[in-house]
Amino acid sequence: MRETDPGRYGLKRSPSVELPPAGDYGHVRIKHGSVDDPNPIFRGQKQLAAVNVATDALEAEYAAGRIDEAQYRAGLVYQAVLERQYGRSASAIWSDVRGGDRGQVRDDRIVRALEDAKRAAEFLDDCRQVIGMQAEWMLVRTLGHRDTLVTITHLIFGSTHWRLRRDVGRRFGTALTQLADHWSARGVA
């Protein structure tokens, strides 16, 4: 965002934080938008964010208006669960261990990581029952591996014709709708 356009989103920005300019840079496509401020002090306020939509199908579909807020939030929950399932790296388990029994701290972290992974796997199994295997594969590829919907279209059909891309986009939206409805009925999201 250029300094000449500070009020475009009606948001205040810190002068010390500079976002990269929006545009296409090879395999990177930067877009600007407003998101909820994660700081609890500023609850309900928005902040400006830059997102590489070329590798984030969820953000790209939401920014284009092809999925609604409920679908977007369901995608964020699913994405967070995928991240929990893969857990922390081995180096993270050893990092920041100060004082005490380093082995015991490491063992406790490993146990917590395994418990988190087990809960995430159970949650994803429940999701598979709702959306099916093919939709699960699509969500894992887009939300977990950060593949674009164009890449998914090519993997499924061997082509990226616009009608096929539209079909994959609809499947993506349908899977998110099914998750949002399922979790809403269970009080999860």
Side-chain angles (χ1 to χ4, degrees):
M1 180 172 211
R2 289 182 234 112
E3 288 299 324
T4 58
D5 192 20
R8 179 173 175 195
Y9 296 98
L11 306 170
K12 295 180 181 176
R13 304 191 286 138
S14 168
S16 64
V17 177
E18 191 62 37
L19 296 176
D24 293 335
Y25 308 96
H27 294 292
V28 177
R29 176 176 288 152
I30 301 293
K31 295 229 178 184
H32 294 151
S34 64
V35 296
D36 292 332
D37 195 318
N39 188 334
I41 295 172
F42 301 112
R43 187 176 310 276
Q45 294 185 17
K46 300 281 187 179
Q47 73 176 11
L48 194 59
V51 177
N52 177 8
V53 295
T55 62
D56 197 331
L58 184 65
E59 295 292 341
E61 294 297 294
Y62 185 60
R66 290 187 288 263
I67 61 173
D68 62 24
E69 182 76 20
Q71 292 168 311
Y72 177 72
R73 290 196 184 280
L76 290 176
V77 169
Y78 196 86
Q79 194 170 44
V81 171
L82 286 174
E83 290 169 0
R84 285 297 267 212
Q85 183 185 29
Y86 296 125
R88 304 173 80 181
S89 68
S91 62
I93 289 173
W94 276 104
S95 66
D96 296 331
V97 177
R98 293 185 178 88
D101 183 2
R102 293 177 63 116
Q104 183 62 43
V105 171
R106 184 211 58 198
D107 291 348
D108 291 344
R109 286 183 178 176
I110 290 171
V111 168
R112 278 195 307 273
L114 289 171
E115 289 170 352
D116 284 348
K118 181 180 181 218
R119 281 193 303 274
E122 290 168 354
F123 190 81
L124 294 173
D125 285 344
D126 181 53
C127 294
R128 185 180 311 116
Q129 300 300 317
V130 174
I131 62 175
M133 296 271 308
Q134 189 176 40
E136 178 196 30
W137 173 83
M138 182 186 304
L139 291 181
V140 168
R141 291 299 300 243
T142 54
L143 302 177
H145 299 285
R146 303 289 188 161
D147 285 337
T148 65
L149 291 180
V150 173
T151 302
I152 299 300
T153 304
H154 183 72
L155 290 171
I156 293 173
F157 298 109
S159 171
T160 58
H161 188 272
W162 70 269
R163 286 187 178 144
L164 299 173
R165 288 195 317 264
R166 183 180 61 193
D167 179 55
V168 168
R170 285 183 183 153
R171 291 182 193 188
F172 181 71
T174 299
L176 293 174
T177 299
Q178 290 171 328
L179 288 178
D181 292 347
H182 176 68
W183 293 337
S184 176
R186 298 181 83 199
V188 174

